[in-house]
Amino acid sequence: MSLILATEMSEVERVEKFRDLVKRCKRALGEEDVVTLEALNYLGGQLQENGEYEEAIEVYERCLAGRMKVLGEDHKGTLGMLTNLGVVYYGLKNYENTLEYYERALKGSERLMWMAHPDTLVTVMNIAIIYAMKRDHKEAAVYFRKALEVNVAQLGKDNESTKKAQEM
């Protein structure tokens, strides 16, 4: 897959290469194989990068369904797919769906007790930012405080970054 990304192809050519890769993976490995699902993830990412958000959503939803079935609801790959969908909806300025997917990813991280994981901090910050953009400052503050808690868990209360965040 990295060869597709590394070559000097146009965005359209990369999408076609990823489509072909998905077809070959399905044929050789089956629709629910983790390699096939990862190929779908790459296709969705390229579609998203090209600004083809609606199709990216369809591809990511197929990948999410497969990962839920094969890897489970709380697998890191499944949670990452929820985040990817949130990012696409953010690109469409559909903040309700963005929040839905980010919050689902956060709940999974919390169930796995990953509050100190860097991806969790990004998700919490993204949720806070979306609430702030929606002018829901009360909810934004809740998530900004939670982000500070995650920061403390990751870096410690005496870390310079943590101290700066506490001053804000």
Side-chain angles (χ1 to χ4, degrees):
M1 285 185 250
S2 61
L3 290 176
I4 294 171
L5 298 173
T7 62
E8 294 190 20
M9 294 181 207
S10 73
E11 293 171 339
V12 172
E13 289 172 317
R14 278 196 298 272
V15 166
E16 290 313 310
K17 290 289 185 184
F18 281 124
R19 286 186 204 287
D20 182 58
L21 178 64
V22 169
K23 285 179 191 171
R24 287 185 287 127
C25 287
K26 280 183 186 178
R27 201 169 37 250
L29 305 169
E31 189 150 344
E32 294 175 347
D33 185 84
V34 293
V35 173
T36 304
L37 296 173
E38 190 61 22
L40 273 173
N41 182 36
Y42 278 109
L43 173 58
Q46 187 62 56
L47 290 164
Q48 178 183 346
E49 188 175 310
N50 293 5
E52 299 174 49
Y53 297 124
E54 296 299 333
E55 189 174 357
I57 289 168
E58 291 174 23
V59 170
Y60 279 155
E61 287 285 0
R62 284 182 17 223
C63 186
L64 176 62
R67 286 184 175 183
M68 295 273 283
K69 185 173 182 180
V70 174
L71 302 174
E73 183 178 1
D74 290 333
H75 188 276
K76 184 175 175 23
T78 304
L79 299 176
M81 191 54 46
L82 291 168
T83 301
N84 288 353
L85 279 156
V87 171
V88 176
Y89 280 112
Y90 178 83
L92 290 170
K93 296 183 178 9
N94 182 332
Y95 302 131
E96 292 305 317
N97 283 357
T98 300
L99 281 173
E100 174 191 336
Y101 284 102
Y102 283 167
E103 287 174 343
R104 284 175 61 190
L106 180 60
K107 284 180 183 154
S109 293
E110 288 172 338
R111 280 192 300 272
L112 295 173
M113 298 176 63
W114 283 359
M115 288 312 292
H117 193 281
D119 290 348
T120 303
L121 178 59
V122 171
T123 301
V124 173
M125 285 299 296
N126 286 344
I127 292 170
I129 290 166
I130 295 298
Y131 277 118
M133 290 174 70
K134 291 177 59 175
R135 308 249 190 275
D136 186 342
H137 301 296
K138 184 177 178 181
E139 277 300 304
V142 168
Y143 283 94
F144 280 126
R145 277 192 294 279
K146 187 177 259 193
L148 179 59
E149 291 171 16
V150 173
N151 200 43
V152 169
Q154 285 180 6
L155 303 173
K157 66 180 180 177
D158 296 325
N159 179 276
E160 205 55 40
S161 175
T162 302
K163 288 178 183 179
K164 286 180 184 175
Q166 288 172 325
E167 292 170 4
M168 294 171 77

